[in-house]
Amino acid sequence: MKQSSVVDLLLLLLTIAVLATPAFSDLVLSKVERRIDVTSQFARVTKTLKVVNPGSESVSEFMLIFPKFLGNNLAYLSVKTKRPVANLSVKKADPKGIPDSISVYSVGLPKTLSKGDTLTLEVVATFTNVLQPFPEKITQGEIHLVMLQESSQYLSPYTVESQSLSIKLPNARIESYSKLENTKLQGSELKYGPYKNLSPFSYSPIVVHFESKAAFSVAEKLVREIEVSHWGNVQVTEHYNVVHRGAQLKGEFSRLDFQARPNPRGASAFRHLLARLPPRAHSIYYRDDIGNISTSEMQSDSKKTELLIEPRFPLFGGWKTFFTIGYGLPLSDFLFASEGKRFVNISFGSPMIDLVTEKLIVQVVLPEGSKDISVTTPFAVKQSREIKYSHLDIAGRPVVVLEKDNVVLDHNQHIQVYYKFSNINLLSEPLMLISGFFVLFITCIIYTRADFSISKSSPTYLAKLQWDEVLATLQEVQSIIQKCLAAHDKLEASLRDLSRTGDIQTCKAARKSTDSLLKDLSKELKPLQGFLQSSPSASHISPKVEELVVKEKELQEKLMAKHTTVVEGYEKKSSGRDIENRIASQQQKIIALRQEIEDLLEFIDEI
């Protein structure tokens, strides 16, 4: 037993000891029948209460009380009369004099009970997290045991003349149970009572320790998006974040043992989830972040569609999985009209059987243009509004957001979302598409028929021609300068050959050939320079070209002077060191000029 549960139980017993007299009215419960079903992961309690008013004062409300540790886990509570059948309003109460260890709910009676009147009530309460795994951690091969804490006597602020309790267990395998007076175990059913003449606030704690093979599947968060389209479809998308809340797995998981003997070696795990969808569900898919999951089966008939899904791996205690299911529904089955409004009538909770949802968010996406929106729910929920934008939306689609915690199968009731919508709004998207295509076609026609070419007499066209001529001239200038540089390299090569062979005549012949080539190239440059100087389009380039030509001529002169000095040195049979000393200054100037010419060529090349 968990420490918190023990503390709550002790506080409850202390409170009951303090409360010695009825606190609310003179009502008497002549007969109480309680039935607790723990065959699933939650406890479903059904009570039949026969209420009698022996007092002189009329009574218009009835009080239900629960221990705090049960009240905190109360997921669903409904009260109705037996004859005639009518649902009664239930709300949480906080009467004076009741300590915090007891939760109190007030039930409004359909009519005032006068002296001697009787009334039979049917109470249904569903509790989550009351079946505590014990032990809390088990190995892969151990069975799953849980523990239930309850009272063999009905906790009530009224006198109880006769009371009995029946607990329906999953099977006959029971580890232990509290043995009190009038206790009987028959197969998988444990009975306590009947007990007679119980005073108000009677409480007799019992503990039942038994095996449970139920799937303790809990959705920590479930987001259901229901998108309504007046083009004939309701698209439902559900995002699940599921965890196994049973006893946690202790030790390592063996896939080999699980595959070989899944029942004894994986009894505490659950491998399937069953969803009961509306009968005409279509386009069903089941996937996760990785992609589509093919391990699912679907069966359909005229009354329902069942989807059996299998996660990618078996879920043991503490393990989690994330997945999404989606399906389409025919609009005619869920959209109706009433008093000038349309309303969507669709289920609130998850279609998964025996799934507990800790936080449920339902988003009903209405068509764009919906207004005067209202919601009707059979139980209290938190409501808010949002706007969602999708394709071809202008103002966005209104979204009704409903939130509720601790949701069980009993909450899978129908809700109604009312709104006004004009059929003219249906034409907005088709008209938008038609307009878009019309504009596209008109643009294509104008483009194919219009002449976008530039007139040959226009200033723009003439300026373009002049610029093209300037670019062509620049390319020719670059080519001639490159040829001059190549001639310079050839002259330098002849000097290197002279130092190696000592052949003065060959060196002089190379200079003569180079000198002739450079004169021809200089003649070719003159008309090009004249064109660039006279062209307005080249006004910003012409100075650079002039500078380039000047630098190249200066380089020619330095090279010729160097050549003359070297040849004369060889003719006079001067030493190599002496020749190098005489041309050292010339060589430095040649290198600097060569670098300046290359920088100017790079500048022109970028243009």
Side-chain angles (χ1 to χ4, degrees), residues 276-497:
R276 287 183 180 164
L277 309 179
R280 292 206 290 169
H282 61 85
S283 305
I284 302 172
Y285 63 85
Y286 166 45
R287 64 176 181 236
D288 58 11
D289 292 339
I290 299 175
N292 185 59
I293 305 175
S294 59
T295 52
S296 61
E297 299 179 7
M298 188 184 72
Q299 294 181 350
S300 180
D301 55 33
S302 60
K303 295 183 179 180
K304 65 181 181 303
T305 299
E306 290 189 345
L307 177 65
L308 184 67
I309 64 175
E310 180 179 349
R312 293 186 183 274
F313 50 87
L315 260 70
F316 286 86
W319 291 16
K320 296 182 179 183
T321 185
F322 307 88
F323 61 87
T324 300
I325 65 172
Y327 48 92
L329 301 171
L331 183 66
S332 58
D333 292 355
F334 300 93
L335 184 64
F336 306 93
S338 174
E339 299 178 355
K341 279 190 172 184
R342 306 168 192 259
F343 69 92
V344 180
N345 186 48
I346 198 163
S347 59
F348 176 77
S350 167
M352 297 289 180
I353 304 300
D354 295 336
L355 178 72
V356 174
T357 306
E358 291 183 342
K359 184 176 184 61
L360 174 61
I361 301 175
V362 178
Q363 300 172 340
V364 183
V365 184
L366 300 175
E368 187 177 26
S370 302
K371 56 185 180 180
D372 295 341
I373 302 171
S374 60
V375 182
T376 302
T377 59
F379 36 77
V381 296
K382 180 182 176 182
Q383 297 187 27
S384 60
R385 302 290 170 83
E386 295 178 356
I387 297 293
K388 178 183 178 181
Y389 290 91
S390 184
H391 52 276
L392 300 179
D393 287 343
I394 299 175
R397 306 183 185 188
V399 182
V400 177
V401 181
L402 309 176
E403 298 183 30
K404 188 171 180 60
D405 297 334
N406 206 15
V407 178
V408 293
L409 187 62
D410 300 279
H411 292 111
N412 205 2
Q413 303 178 33
H414 283 81
I415 60 173
Q416 294 78 38
V417 180
Y418 293 84
Y419 62 97
K420 288 184 178 181
F421 182 79
S422 175
N423 288 331
I424 297 178
N425 291 324
L426 287 173
L427 301 176
S428 61
E429 292 184 0
L431 289 176
M432 192 181 302
L433 287 173
I434 293 171
S435 302
F437 280 111
F438 178 77
V439 171
L440 176 63
F441 292 148
I442 292 298
T443 304
C444 292
I445 292 172
I446 294 174
Y447 180 78
T448 55
R449 293 180 178 273
D451 183 10
F452 295 99
S453 61
I454 301 175
S455 174
K456 294 183 179 180
S457 60
S458 64
T460 305
Y461 181 74
L462 294 175
K464 184 178 181 303
L465 287 180
Q466 291 177 1
W467 179 246
D468 290 341
E469 291 180 6
V470 169
L471 292 179
T473 304
L474 287 175
Q475 290 178 355
E476 291 184 35
V477 170
Q478 283 182 294
S479 177
I480 293 173
I481 296 298
Q482 292 291 351
K483 290 179 182 179
C484 292
L485 294 177
H488 299 165
D489 293 339
K490 186 177 179 181
L491 191 61
E492 291 276 12
S494 68
L495 292 177
R496 289 192 295 271
D497 292 341

Side-chain angles (χ1 to χ4, degrees), residues 223-236:
V223 179
R224 299 188 72 218
E225 184 181 74
I226 304 168
E227 187 169 352
V228 181
S229 171
H230 278 219
W231 292 100
N233 188 60
V234 177
Q235 182 62 39
V236 182

Side-chain angles (χ1 to χ4, degrees), residues 170-296:
N171 51 59
R173 185 166 184 173
I174 303 175
E175 294 291 305
S176 63
Y177 62 93
S178 301
K179 297 179 181 179
L180 306 177
E181 182 183 0
N182 294 339
T183 303
K184 185 183 297 184
L185 177 63
Q186 296 178 341
S188 62
E189 187 174 13
L190 182 61
K191 295 183 177 180
Y192 287 90
Y195 300 111
K196 305 289 185 178
N197 300 322
L198 301 177
S199 59
F201 299 100
S202 295
Y203 192 86
S204 177
I206 58 173
V207 176
V208 185
H209 192 202
F210 58 95
E211 179 188 12
S212 177
K213 295 182 179 179
F216 277 58
S217 54
V218 176
E220 294 181 322
K221 185 178 181 181
L222 167 59
V223 179
R224 299 188 72 218
E225 184 181 74
I226 304 168
E227 187 169 352
V228 181
S229 171
H230 278 219
W231 292 100
N233 188 60
V234 177
Q235 182 62 39
V236 182
T237 307
E238 301 174 350
H239 304 278
Y240 289 85
N241 180 358
V242 176
V243 62
H244 189 320
R245 282 289 170 78
Q248 296 187 7
L249 180 65
K250 179 173 63 176
E252 296 181 353
F253 167 66
S254 172
R255 170 67 72 172
L256 180 61
D257 289 349
F258 181 81
Q259 292 294 117
R261 296 181 296 168
N263 289 328
R265 302 298 296 174
S268 63
F270 70 85
R271 285 156 285 179
H272 302 92
L273 289 171
L274 179 63
R276 287 183 180 164
L277 309 179
R280 292 206 290 169
H282 61 85
S283 305
I284 302 172
Y285 63 85
Y286 166 45
R287 64 176 181 236
D288 58 11
D289 292 339
I290 299 175
N292 185 59
I293 305 175
S294 59
T295 52
S296 61

Side-chain angles (χ1 to χ4, degrees), residues 35-141:
R35 296 169 295 280
I36 303 178
D37 188 339
V38 290
T39 56
S40 61
Q41 66 164 314
F42 43 77
R44 185 178 176 86
V45 182
T46 306
K47 309 172 188 177
T48 302
L49 311 177
K50 189 173 182 180
V51 185
V52 180
N53 184 10
S56 58
E57 296 182 0
S58 298
V59 179
S60 60
E61 67 175 356
F62 179 82
M63 294 296 177
L64 291 172
I65 63 175
F66 302 96
K68 194 69 174 183
F69 69 91
L70 288 179
N72 289 340
N73 295 301
L74 179 63
Y76 178 79
L77 177 62
S78 72
V79 183
K80 59 184 179 181
T81 56
K82 200 166 185 179
R83 292 187 183 88
V85 177
N87 291 320
L88 305 182
S89 64
V90 182
K91 61 181 179 180
K92 193 165 186 178
D94 189 17
K96 295 181 180 179
I98 298 298
D100 293 338
S101 59
I102 292 180
S103 299
V104 182
Y105 290 85
S106 173
V107 180
L109 299 179
K111 62 178 182 179
T112 301
L113 281 183
S114 302
K115 181 178 180 179
D117 290 347
T118 62
L119 180 67
T120 301
L121 300 178
E122 290 285 343
V123 181
V124 177
T126 302
F127 299 92
T128 59
N129 303 318
V130 294
L131 300 183
Q132 298 295 332
F134 191 77
E136 297 181 354
K137 294 183 178 181
I138 58 176
T139 61
Q140 181 176 339

